[in-house]
Amino acid sequence: MTHPRAGDARSYLFNDHTVEGYRRAVAAGSARVAGRVGRTDRPFSGAAPARLAPEIAAIDLERPLHDHAAALDELEGVYLRDAVYFHHPRYLAHLNCPVVIPALLGEVVLSAVNSSLDTWDQSAGGTLIERRLVEWTAGRIGFGPAADGVFTSGGTQSNLQALFLAREEARATGTPLSRLRVITSEAGHFSVRKAAALLGLGPEAVVAVETDAERRMRLDGLARELDRCRRAGLTVMAVAATAGTTDFGSIDPLPEIARLCAAAGVWLHVDAAYGCGLLVSRRRRHLLDGIERADSVTVDFHKSFFQPVSSSALLVRDGAALRHAAHHADYLNPLRMAERGIPNQVDKSLQTTRRFDALKLWLTLRVMGADAVGELFDQVVDLAAEAHAMLAADPRFEVVTRPPLSTLVFRYLPPEGPGRELADDANLYAREALAASGEAVVAGTTVDGRHHLKLTLLNPETTRDDIAYVLDLLAGHAQRHVDDLAPLAGHPEVTHVHS
Ligand SMILES: Cc1ncc(COP(=O)(O)O)c(C=O)c1O
């Protein structure tokens, strides 16, 4: 093992003696990334875990390289070369956006200054900047002056905190945990179930209402479940509606859901992790009408505001609800600080030490402005409409819904004949074969028990030609699989060849 002298170890600390080394290291890092991004001609190398795992395992963590350039060289081989590049126009898989440069500048600043947004004495202006952005986002939602919120690590955490606040409000009425219910739709995000489990609710606590043909929560289903719970003596602690479902981008009918929730006295949470980009759209803001009547809203800036991971927030219509997250520790946030009016965010957060992620959004708004972000989001929504028209006109595929946002769920349909039975397998195969080729990355999901493919369009640089190219590749892979297996179809042992 190498034992550096104390002087050597200190040379790695970032301080007034080492700013030159810092400049060089960060410049080398950004040059390396820029070089890699400048020459990536595909979103992925296609590397399999079996190839990368031994290379990463072979690195001896007990033998440091003592050199930034050498470490970057090594990193090229084990990470940069084979990373999945979301900035590439044929990365079409999950809700990962390409990122804007002002936000990357924010990353440089926030990681080096390393503020922690729990208390004023660890962040000073950072706390106020986050508060301004919370206020700004609440304003975009249409909340009134009582609104408040906090940045979080992502939609999962924002949803957890929303349901935690709702649970605490419901518990104040003395209802036991076992009688609490959360209503969401079949297309709601799985983090709602995870949150319910973490909050100690039973396995039946989350009730999934059916969706309509456009995959929006059905109002008659919601009304029925509200009524059923009431008659069974159960307390619906929250309805979790979705503004932008993960698979379909569908937006639940928010004004009507808000009306039903208000009539039943139920907390309305809107998961706008994906749909929040509409808050800055000049052409489609109306799709979120009704969101201002929610009690809490999840927004993921790292999905539709072109921000790097992590950047999310939970907003509440009445800031007083955040009191449920407040606990005081003598060493950190004693009550006397609050009484003296010294602002802190830890009293509103599930986290203690917390990154200054808000800075990325701040620099984004200060450099390019909200309209420019909204325009980028509008462009991908436009592109999805074009891609839908392409798919609908293409006899090789069937497409599930017309996208309100920027996802497309579809499947390759082998021509009539014995090959048709192999459609499920062929779609699964096509997705993996495409990823292994590295030419493009698409996602997959199941609809009504059948395997489908999914495009999530978040890159305004993606063109119709990119999409046409990827559809051809998918059809080619899928049909090849059918051709390979069709002669065997009908043999019982060949019903599920792909695994
Ligand atoms: C609708 C919705 N809500 C919540 C989440 C979870 O967000 P995160 O991955 O940031 O935790 C997602 C993720 O895709 C989502 O699509």
Side-chain angles (χ1 to χ4, degrees):
M1 204 195 300
T2 326
H3 293 284
R5 294 190 314 277
D8 293 339
R10 285 193 195 174
S11 72
Y12 296 115
L13 291 173
F14 175 43
N15 57 36
D16 54 338
H17 308 300
T18 57
V19 284
E20 267 319 309
Y22 161 74
R23 265 199 200 106
R24 277 197 304 274
V26 172
S30 62
R32 194 67 71 127
V33 172
R36 176 51 66 181
V37 166
R39 61 179 190 279
T40 38
D41 60 353
R42 52 189 57 209
F44 183 40
S45 69
R51 172 157 83 64
L52 282 181
E55 289 178 25
I56 291 173
I59 288 177
D60 185 353
L61 293 176
E62 302 299 343
R63 285 184 179 278
L65 298 164
H66 297 301
D67 182 68
H68 290 117
L72 283 171
D73 285 343
E74 182 181 87
L75 200 63
E76 280 277 352
V78 295
Y79 173 58
L80 291 173
R81 189 188 56 200
D82 299 298
V84 179
Y85 284 99
F86 303 154
H87 72 273
H88 193 278
R90 291 197 305 275
Y91 176 81
L92 307 169
H94 301 288
L95 278 165
N96 303 301
C97 49
V99 294
V100 293
I101 294 172
L104 292 179
L105 179 63
E107 282 284 1
V108 173
V109 176
L110 77 92
S111 62
V113 179
N114 199 26
S115 297
S116 177
L117 276 258
D118 36 348
T119 54
W120 173 260
D121 69 354
Q122 300 174 79
S123 61
T127 286
L128 300 181
I129 286 178
E130 175 167 313
R131 286 188 165 197
R132 266 302 293 283
L133 288 169
V134 163
E135 223 176 274
W136 177 84
T137 312
R140 288 271 169 173
I141 289 171
F143 281 163
D148 201 354
V150 68
F151 272 61
T152 73
S153 63
T156 303
Q157 198 191 18
S158 297
N159 285 346
L160 171 63
Q161 183 162 357
L163 294 180
F164 165 69
L165 301 180
R167 185 196 73 176
E168 293 306 283
E169 294 283 319
R171 279 224 301 201
T173 64
T175 315
L177 286 185
S178 61
R179 303 204 70 74
L180 294 179
R181 294 291 179 272
V182 176
I183 302 180
T184 188
S185 87
E186 286 168 348
H189 194 256
F190 75 93
S191 54
V192 169
R193 287 187 183 278
K194 200 186 260 194
L198 287 167
L199 292 169
L201 310 184
E204 353 42 66
V206 178
V207 180
V209 164
E210 61 275 27
T211 53
D212 64 14
E214 302 300 319
R215 311 284 156 170
R216 297 170 300 204
M217 185 189 284
R218 281 184 61 142
L219 290 169
D220 53 354
L222 174 59
R224 188 194 63 232
E225 286 305 324
L226 285 168
D227 192 48
R228 186 185 63 78
C229 289
R230 188 182 51 77
R231 285 194 281 124
L234 301 165
T235 298
V236 178
M237 65 173 229
V239 169
T242 316
T245 59
T246 317
D247 278 348
F248 302 99
S250 43
I251 300 171
D252 290 338
L254 301 178
E256 294 80 2
I257 292 176
R259 196 157 351 100
L260 286 172
C261 285
V266 170
W267 180 287
L268 171 58
H269 174 61
V270 175
D271 177 356
Y274 172 22
C276 64
L278 297 172
L279 291 172
V280 285
S281 160
R282 283 201 289 191
R283 290 189 273 141
R284 297 186 174 88
R285 171 61 182 83
H286 62 277
L287 294 178
L288 290 180
D289 283 355
I291 196 170
E292 71 286 351
R293 295 171 66 186
D295 293 283
S296 55
V297 174
T298 287
V299 295
D300 263 9
F301 301 114
H302 64 210
K303 289 188 177 33
S304 48
F305 273 64
F306 306 93
Q307 299 292 294
V309 178
S310 305
S311 186
S312 175
L314 173 70
L315 290 306
V316 289
R317 184 153 48 90
D318 178 4
L322 291 172
R323 73 188 180 285
H324 298 301
H327 291 266
H328 295 280
D330 289 342
Y331 84 93
L332 189 70
N333 58 339
L335 260 179
R336 68 174 180 281
M337 292 291 194
E339 283 158 10
R340 284 171 54 202
I342 297 177
N344 80 46
Q345 294 295 83
V346 73
D347 289 354
K348 307 172 186 178
S349 174
L350 300 185
Q351 290 172 260
T352 306
T353 304
R354 191 162 52 82
R355 278 166 62 85
F356 185 19
D357 286 316
L359 182 63
K360 296 177 286 193
L361 179 61
W362 180 265
L363 285 178
T364 301
L365 296 183
R366 297 308 301 136
V367 175
M368 58 189 281
D371 285 352
V373 174
E375 178 53 31
L376 292 178
F377 191 57
D378 270 332
Q379 286 173 14
V380 294
V381 179
D382 291 342
L383 180 68
E386 288 184 42
H388 177 263
M390 286 162 70
L391 275 164
D394 189 333
R396 296 172 300 176
F397 297 101
E398 60 179 6
V399 58
V400 181
T401 54
R402 183 187 298 277
L405 295 182
S406 64
T407 59
L408 287 149
V409 178
F410 60 101
R411 68 200 303 248
Y412 176 72
L413 206 56
E416 285 287 359
R420 199 49 56 116
E421 282 172 37
L422 299 166
D424 258 8
D425 231 40
N427 280 284
L428 275 178
Y429 173 82
R431 179 189 171 206
E432 287 186 11
L434 184 69
S437 76
E439 287 270 15
V441 188
V442 305
T445 191
T446 7
V447 182
D448 305 329
R450 318 236 62 167
H451 288 295
H452 281 67
L453 299 162
K454 179 169 87 162
L455 305 184
T456 305
L457 305 178
L458 281 176
N459 191 340
E461 295 286 349
T462 304
T463 62
R464 284 175 60 98
D465 286 350
D466 288 317
I467 292 169
Y469 179 63
V470 171
L471 294 181
D472 284 346
L473 290 173
L474 285 167
H477 288 302
Q479 188 54 45
R480 249 187 315 283
H481 193 64
V482 171
D483 293 342
D484 287 348
L485 295 184
L488 306 171
H491 290 247
E493 66 276 19
V494 193
T495 40
H496 261 293
V497 178
H498 184 97
S499 61

